[in-house]
Amino acid sequence: MLNNPRSIIAIVPAAGVGSRMGANMPKQYLMLGQQCILAHTLDSLLSHAEIDQVVVALNPQDNYFSQLPQSHHSKLTTVFGGGERADSVLAALDYVESINPEAWALVHDAARPCVTHQDITKLIESVNLHPQGAILAAPVRDTMKRSDTNGNIIHTVDRALLWHALTPQLFPVSVLRHHLSAALAAQVPITDEASAMEWAGVMPGLVNGRMDNIKVTHPDDLQLAALFMSQQ
């Protein structure tokens, strides 16, 4: 538990269309076992004792979310997201700051259904060591290569101290909102919340997370996620 418990509000950007999946619906609504990907993700967040609220950023034309049982949960709120992930996160942060500016935002990908309560708790408790905020991450295990534009190897990259960034990522709401907004205004490429904090000079902490916390991006990932969930 945190030494100074604060409100933890999970933010789930779910306004994307997931074009790389080649499906006829946004990837977060593809079935994974008995329910869709997003439903599994929300179950993990809504059932965690230290998460006070879950805010989902949706596409204004979303016709699927209201059909989920989780959409009626007392801890869940929705806002309209934007064209990019960062825009959706910022829209959710705007809402959260208006109701609880002292809260911490735990931002998690809609398409990471395999996240465990243990990893979420580990990230929340890391605030004692990383008061600036932290992210779940996994050390790079494979040999890394850098290529040229023609697909030829230029050289091998030293994997020591390299990490795969995962989610959730946990930062103070007001600080993250300020830096994310400024980075977007400066047209800085923002791939995750940590990149906005890094741009502002903050050094987020790294919390070693499980490698099975995968993001469903391609069709093959669905079978892999199903396998991981069956083993958890």
Side-chain angles (χ1 to χ4, degrees):
M1 299 293 291
L2 299 177
N3 289 335
N4 298 297
R6 301 193 183 197
S7 180
I8 305 292
I9 299 181
I11 290 175
V12 181
V17 297
S19 57
R20 281 176 288 182
M21 288 294 291
N24 60 357
M25 64 176 65
K27 67 179 178 183
Q28 59 268 28
Y29 295 113
L30 295 176
M31 293 300 291
L32 177 59
Q34 298 301 308
Q35 57 181 358
C36 71
I37 295 170
L38 179 57
H40 287 290
T41 301
L42 293 177
D43 280 347
S44 294
L45 299 173
L46 290 167
S47 61
H48 195 285
E50 293 190 72
I51 294 178
D52 300 302
Q53 187 175 1
V54 177
V55 181
V56 183
L58 298 172
N59 188 299
Q61 279 75 50
D62 188 303
N63 296 316
Y64 301 96
F65 186 78
S66 62
Q67 301 173 33
L68 303 184
Q70 293 82 358
S71 68
H72 307 294
H73 197 285
S74 59
K75 287 170 61 171
L76 191 141
T77 302
T78 62
V79 298
F80 286 141
E84 301 294 335
R85 171 204 164 86
D87 300 314
S88 294
V89 173
L90 185 58
L93 288 169
D94 287 342
Y95 167 77
V96 174
E97 189 173 50
S98 72
I99 61 168
N100 190 351
E102 300 301 316
W104 283 67
L106 185 135
V107 186
H108 186 58
D109 293 327
R112 286 190 191 271
C114 301
V115 65
T116 64
H117 276 194
Q118 291 85 351
D119 267 7
I120 294 172
T121 299
K122 189 190 299 186
L123 179 63
I124 292 173
E125 290 178 346
S126 76
V127 170
N128 297 320
L129 182 62
H130 304 293
Q132 76 278 27
I135 72 170
L136 282 182
V140 169
R141 299 177 180 179
D142 301 312
T143 297
M144 304 295 291
K145 305 289 187 181
R146 186 176 300 282
S147 73
D148 61 17
T149 55
N150 296 317
N152 302 308
I153 295 174
I154 299 175
H155 61 84
T156 299
V157 180
D158 183 1
R159 70 186 177 197
L161 304 182
L162 287 182
W163 295 71
H164 294 286
L166 309 174
T167 69
Q169 303 192 357
L170 181 66
F171 298 102
V173 165
S174 295
V175 177
L176 177 58
R177 179 183 175 276
H178 174 75
H179 293 328
L180 183 57
S181 178
L184 290 175
Q187 298 184 327
V188 176
I190 297 299
T191 55
D192 65 355
E193 293 64 55
S195 61
M197 301 292 282
E198 296 159 32
W199 172 78
V202 178
M203 297 174 64
L206 289 164
V207 177
N208 201 328
R210 293 170 58 116
M211 285 294 293
D212 59 4
N213 181 15
I214 65 167
K215 185 176 182 180
V216 178
T217 305
H218 299 282
D220 290 347
D221 297 332
L222 276 171
Q223 292 183 346
L224 192 57
L227 174 62
F228 286 150
M229 295 187 75
S230 71
Q231 300 298 315
Q232 289 180 354

